[in-house]
Amino acid sequence: MDALHTFHSTRPLWALLVSLLAIPLIVATGERHRNLRETWTILAAVAKTVLVWSMLPWVLQGRVPEISLWRITPSVELALRVDTLGLVFAIVASTLWLLTSLYSIGYVRGAGEHKQTRYFASFAMCLHATIGIAFAANLVTFLIFFEMLSIATYPLVIHKETPVALAAGRKYLSFVLPAGLMLLLAVVLTASIHPGGLDFQAGGFLSGDDASRVLLRWIFLFFILGVGVKAAIMPLQSWLPAAMAAPTPVSALLHAVAVVKAGVFGVLRVTGYVYGPHLLKDIGVWTALAWFAGVTLTVASLLALRQDNLKRRLAYSTVGHLSYIVLGAAILTPYGLIGSVLHLMFHATMKITLFFCAGAIYVRTHKEQISDMVGIGRQMPITMGAFAVGSLGLAGIPGINGFFSKWNLALGTAQGGQWIFLGLLVLSGVLNAAYFFPIVQQAFFRRNPEFSSYGEASMWMVVPLALTALMSLVLGLAPNLAAHAWDLARAVSAAVMGGAG
Amino acid sequence: MSVKWTSRLWAGAGTALATLVSAVGVAAAAGHEMAQAHGDLSAIHGAATQSPDAFQIPAMVLAPLLIGVVLVPALGRLRRSLAYQVTVVVFVAYLAVALKALTTVLAHGTLHYKMAGWMPPVGIEWTLDALSAFVVLVLAVVAVMVAIYSGVAVRRQNPEREVPFFSMMVVMMLGLTGMVMTGDLFNLYVFFEVSSLSAYALMAVGDRKAPVSSFRYLLQGTIGASSYLMGVGYLYVLTGSLNMADVASLLPHLLGNPALTVALVLMVAGLGLKMALFPMHLWLPDAYTYASSTSTAIIAPVMTKVSAYVLIRMIYFVFDSNWVLSDLHLGFVVTWLAMAGVIWGSVMAIAQRDVKRMLAYSSIAQVGYIGVGIGTGNPWALVGAILHIMNHATMKSSLFMVTGIVEMQTGTRRLQNWNGLGRKMPWTFLAFTLAALAMVGVPPTNGFFSKWYLALGLAGAKQWVLLVLLVLSSLLTAGYFFRLLERIYARTGEDVGSGSARVGEAGDGGVREDGGANADGVKLAGASGSGIAGARDPGLALLLPPLLLGVGTLVLGLVNAWFVTEVIAKALPAALRIPGLGG
Amino acid sequence: MDGFEVFFVEKWPYLATVLMILIGLYGMVLKRNLVKKLIGMNIFQGAIILFFIIHGWKRGATVPVYDEAFGDLPANYVNPIPHGLMLTAIVVSVATTGVALALLSLIYKRFGTLEEDELLRELRAEPAGAPSSGEMASQREDVEGAEPDDGGQR
Amino acid sequence: MSGHFSAVFFVLALLAAIVALKVKDLLAAAVVLSLFSFLVALLYVSLGAVDVGFNESVLGAGVTGILFVIAIFNTRRRSRD
Amino acid sequence: MIRPKETIITDHVVRVMVPFIQIFAFYVIFHGHYSPGGGFQGGALLAGSVLLQRVVLGAERSQIGFPTRLGIPFGALGILIYAGVGFLAMLDGGNYLQYDHLPFGMTPVYLRNTGILLVEIGVAFAVTGTLVSIYDDLVNFERRDDQAEMHSAGSREDA
């Protein structure tokens, strides 16, 4: 790995702002010119994706674009820096936003959703915040965008404005706001013990000399409580299934990609860039985190088995898979981290495929229960085909990208000698298969006379879901294609673990 | 006809207050006259050191207001609408001078102004340092905004009181500015009363119950002010001086004296009462709720804040903060009382069904934050407290103004009638939402940063419990604001009854509100008659001030570091300077 | 009498003020009638003014007006500064009283009583957040005059 | 003038204050309050504060008294306590 | 109720006393700066004389002495004088209320004298205007009540 060298560039800023700038346009256009309004969204998404991808070559060369805006507190600047990990997250978020935008158009029109302007505007805001999280160069900037994301998601969760949705919204807030406060607490405490600045640093910027171990442990707890809610670590997960009351594209992007991934991204940042493996081992909190993650991924898979509502089952599956990533970050081995970063990307493509499929089914048939979906595969072959790809991938079948990340995770546990976690990983993989395969199986191999009049959903929806499924497949075969996922993950791991020696 | 008497009452009271203002000068003079008789003039009357250019600034800050006190009632008598116009002009001039004052102070350092040219220990001194210039600027901004807003609001709600209302407003700002700028303990008391008296009068206008709450406030406020005066008396007995700087320089020799403790406690108690520190907040909810929306919009953001400012002055500039906070354990008392206020105010706010009352209780909570910052004695906490003076002023005035707008447009301020208003009045509620988010402390609004510095201070002072409470208290704030925001945006006005039946009103603790009864046959005097169904955004004059302040919460949040490094860091007392920050 | 005078000089200010303040506070807090509360307030303020004046006083000194017999020595005059201050304080207290009395008249006109407990009853009788009618009330009373039933209640 | 007078005035003033608070007839209370003010004014004079005494007698005893009386006429004369 | 009770004695006493009180008031004002007294007391005395008329002669007849509508302007005038003196001194390069910088072309000692005197007059006017208008406001209550609610007035009197 070359020595990182940072340079000033406005490109991260533009990548950040482009969706924010789209919001006034979206709002001003309003309901009167739907096509124009959607054009803004698509344009912003394309621009954002292009901008983010354009930074990939730099990062692969070890050059880090950076921009400092102004001082947000006397000692900390509002600054953006596109390091490897941030870029990974940004690539996932922006690319999938583009696809989701296309899909959304089909979905909201197909399902006749109301207040579409607010919907698209909030969506753009969420993406703004997500990219902000990805590019944040220090804890304060991170915190600001993290909170912004929490708030911007709220209108999407309650979008349907039904009592259920409102209740879900309340639940969401009652988890996310305390979490934000915990994060604030953690950051404030960090600032008070480490006044020199809060810039993220591969390998961690805190050291054991900054404060007593007890305090460091407390701060770590607050950090994990703060980001862990979004990452849906087990006792804090229950908002996620509830938030499935939101429209499917929201669930797809936000609750499979942006919001929850912001949570696990936060975990990675905290473990790798604030504390660093060395200090974590020193204060010994990593085992606790790993155990939480391990329990979560097992229990969530068990819970997923019991869900009949498709989106809820997907939600629990998400909970489980997020913990894979957390586990990878927690066990503090190079391969674990590689697996973690890879799973951050790969899980996104697979899970978004599944959500897209669920949405397509809902729009076409208004069915949400798995038991009602018997035989649907024959009516919607592309959709269910994509679903099959996604679920196979999540179960870790070789040939699809999920296998690749899981393999690395498993290697990581082995590397650290954590055989119990390896066992849990395997068990969870089996459970994954157990709750996904029946869906696929009954969709394709059982008949249902009721299903005769349905066909595929509109092209707006089918194309994106096919694309994401294809992506999963391709990445499974050639993980280093296009996004250089493998290289990036290795770079992250090397940077973080390198510091620890 | 009663219209006539109230307006005259107002004007009468206004003049009374103005008299007090004049008294300021004479009270000082009274002392000098005697000295003059002794012929030792030269000893007292030194040559005022006149740095050219800047030295008149402190007087210039008060000048527009003093002129306004005369002009507003006088011209208002000619034509009623002139009162409004003159007020706005006066306040804009005030704002301009305040800006100039701040820049001057930042460039040249503290300005001392010897009124009537007498040297400080005897004469009255006006001090304009970074802290007072900062607070004056906050006052000026709020004054301008509320004045613009009040033009239409007062005309619609109680047109016959236009002239007295604006006279009072100017007098109140005069009093508050005087409190902020004066360097003399007794002078401060006089301005204290000037602002309070006009506030009593302003608060008496409003609901049927307004005079009762105003009277209660008057009694309690008088106890507070008298307690402060008593404290000043003790200090005077001990030091023989009333000049703050002078007293401060004399006090170190007296630290063991129990009378000094008594003086301090009396002053803190008096000021605490005026700033609604926890057990002494009883006057606030009623007073804010029943006063007219314009009165509340001008009083709520500034009144308690200026008292808090004075508390800062006393503890950190007159007394030795270390002695006060640690040796006397007053810091402990103040912080915990303030924190109790935060919790209590927030909890009570959640229980309210009247939006204005909810905001009133949240004011108690927010003042509590300032109190926590003052009592902690950590530089960062103090930064947070000072910053929160500005931040809370912007948020609260915006919120109260929006409440007033809704009251005018729909005739209601009951929580449940706000359902779905967000769509009907998008711009109004944009302001409200921004300010509400700032109250909750969502970054990057300014509310977040006051909390940030407070938390930093508490962490620095190792007050872990307080730190956790501080952070958790924003949850309570979030509780009542998001409940309201949910109503505003996510529910429709039509399902008032059915909605509560269906959801069981989870947000309102399952209590079914007597909603049907309140479809409010009653409308406000100023209501445009369209009711809830036809509510829409008001005109620009009403809309712009809250909107600007709402957006201001965002902007102030983003540029808070500038304020902290350039202004507040310079405003900190010498003992608490943060190394590497400011001057 | 000398002992008495010494006591008088040294402790008198505190004793006197505290006594009078207590009486004033008693009136403000425990009396149920609002006028009585106001009277208490006046006494309270008077006590504080007295405190200042007493402290300005020196034994054997004279009125702070230049007098040939006493010459230039400031020690021979009562400290004039508290006097100047208290002039202002008295005006303040009168202004406060004026405003308070105006409020009282207004309260009486609206509620027909100045007894605190009756007022509280009246206030509670109104539905909690009820017609939040802001300015409404004050205008309505122009039509209604005082409360219709206030004559009967007495 | 010395302490003797002051003490007498003070005691009388205290008595007046108590009476003003005890009397049930508000008008009487107002008058006694004026008396209180006047006694306090005398006290001030005896303490050397001539101008304050002067002011107090005019404002405290005179104007305040008048204002009270007017207000009591406007409202109700009898108090419960 | 303050109703004019037309008794000759009070009437005449007031007529005789008021001019004296007012003269005394002016004396107090003008000599305030070197003897006990000053703007406050003088103003209060002036106000007292007006109030005496109001109380004894009744609101209508006392209008001749000092019309109600003059109260506020009178007070405003007082402030104007006070503030004006202050700012005049500033115009001439002094501080606010620094009397020896008043542009009157006198020696500093006289200037100070004049300045203080002017301020005292201003204060006196302000105090007078204020107190009288507070009184008038309170009385207006009662007059209004008389007209609007005779019925309750009756019950009030026997209370």
Side-chain angles (χ1 to χ4, degrees), chain C:
Chain C
M1 230 32 189
D2 206 37
F4 175 69
E5 280 204 1
V6 167
F7 173 78
F8 198 64
V9 170
E10 283 175 2
K11 299 293 177 196
W12 151 259
Y14 304 98
L15 276 179
T17 341
V18 166
L19 258 178
M20 215 179 256
I21 281 180
L22 284 182
I23 294 176
L25 270 181
Y26 157 74
M28 286 174 90
V29 176
L30 292 180
K31 289 289 165 186
R32 315 297 300 171
N33 185 293
L34 298 189
V35 179
K36 280 290 177 71
K37 278 178 187 281
L38 204 54
I39 289 177
M41 192 186 93
N42 265 289
I43 296 169
F44 184 77
Q45 289 184 321
I48 286 163
I49 295 169
L50 184 60
F51 176 79
F52 272 83
I53 298 295
I54 293 173
H55 274 295
W57 183 64
K58 276 178 271 188
R59 204 145 51 96
T62 186
V63 176
V65 177
Y66 183 68
D67 188 336
E68 295 293 337
F70 283 85
D72 273 353
L73 203 61
N76 287 343
Y77 297 90
V78 175
N79 184 354
I81 290 181
H83 300 176
L85 306 181
M86 286 310 108
L87 292 184
T88 321
I90 291 174
V91 178
V92 167
S93 84
V94 172
T96 315
T97 310
V99 173
L101 285 171
L103 286 176
L104 283 187
S105 303
L106 188 51
I107 293 171
Y108 185 79
K109 205 148 61 63
R110 290 200 183 158
F111 296 94
T113 178
L114 287 180
E115 301 293 328
E116 200 177 37
D117 35 3
E118 288 175 21
L119 266 178
L120 283 181
R121 216 176 305 137
E122 286 244 359
L123 290 181
R124 295 223 184 87
E126 288 177 22
S132 63
S133 53
E135 285 55 46
M136 181 66 197
S138 59
Q139 291 215 335
R140 214 182 332 166
E141 112 227 324
D142 297 348
V143 193
E144 295 172 358
E147 300 309 298
D149 57 347
D150 67 346
Q153 275 193 349
R154 247 165 286 138

Side-chain angles (χ1 to χ4, degrees), chain A residues 173-445:
Chain A
L173 283 182
S174 61
F175 273 84
V176 163
L177 290 178
L181 293 171
M182 287 302 134
L183 191 58
L184 167 66
L185 199 53
V187 177
V188 163
L189 287 170
T190 312
S192 76
I193 62 170
H194 190 90
L198 299 172
D199 276 12
F200 290 125
Q201 208 175 331
F205 64 79
L206 284 179
S207 74
D209 304 334
D210 283 327
S212 68
R213 283 152 156 260
V214 179
L215 185 56
L216 283 172
R217 281 184 199 130
W218 273 104
I219 297 175
F220 187 75
L221 173 68
F222 289 135
F223 264 121
I224 293 303
L225 285 177
V227 294
V229 163
K230 282 212 177 76
I233 296 174
M234 200 53 172
L236 310 172
Q237 93 293 4
S238 75
W239 63 273
L240 186 56
M244 290 301 143
T248 308
V250 176
S251 317
L253 186 67
L254 302 179
H255 301 136
V257 184
V259 174
V260 293
K261 288 289 151 58
V264 289
F265 179 76
V267 174
L268 286 170
R269 276 286 190 224
V270 171
T271 53
Y273 292 76
V274 176
Y275 275 75
H278 193 71
L279 182 59
L280 282 181
K281 272 189 184 131
D282 193 30
I283 61 175
V285 285
W286 66 275
T287 29
L289 181 61
W291 270 108
F292 270 108
V295 169
T296 304
L297 61 87
T298 319
V299 176
S301 305
L302 285 171
L303 285 174
L305 271 176
R306 292 176 40 206
Q307 306 299 324
D308 193 35
N309 182 310
L310 178 56
K311 277 174 74 180
R312 285 181 77 85
R313 187 174 290 191
L314 292 180
Y316 276 106
S317 156
T318 305
V319 172
H321 280 273
L322 293 172
S323 285
Y324 278 71
I325 307 175
V326 175
L327 181 63
I331 50 176
L332 304 176
T333 54
Y335 275 107
L337 203 54
I338 291 177
S340 204
V341 176
L342 285 177
H343 208 56
L344 184 88
M345 301 176 92
F346 293 169
H347 169 251
T349 63
M350 296 179 285
K351 192 47 74 58
I352 204 168
T353 311
L354 298 185
F355 273 111
F356 280 173
C357 295
I361 295 169
Y362 173 74
V363 166
R364 203 75 189 101
T365 69
H366 285 279
K367 291 200 188 309
E368 289 179 324
Q369 305 301 321
I370 294 166
S371 46
D372 294 340
M373 293 176 189
V374 175
I376 199 164
R378 306 191 171 208
Q379 306 300 321
M380 308 172 79
I382 305 178
T383 306
M384 285 319 286
F387 192 96
V389 171
S391 48
L392 290 173
L394 286 176
I397 304 299
I400 302 169
N401 56 6
F403 164 74
F404 203 72
S405 49
K406 280 193 170 185
W407 175 250
N408 278 299
L409 281 172
L411 272 182
T413 51
Q415 199 175 22
Q418 304 293 332
W419 307 111
I420 302 172
F421 291 123
L422 181 60
L424 285 179
L425 278 178
V426 173
L427 172 64
S428 160
V430 173
L431 287 171
N432 264 300
Y435 61 73
F436 275 132
F437 289 167
I439 306 176
V440 180
Q441 187 261 342
Q442 71 175 8
F444 281 108
F445 301 110

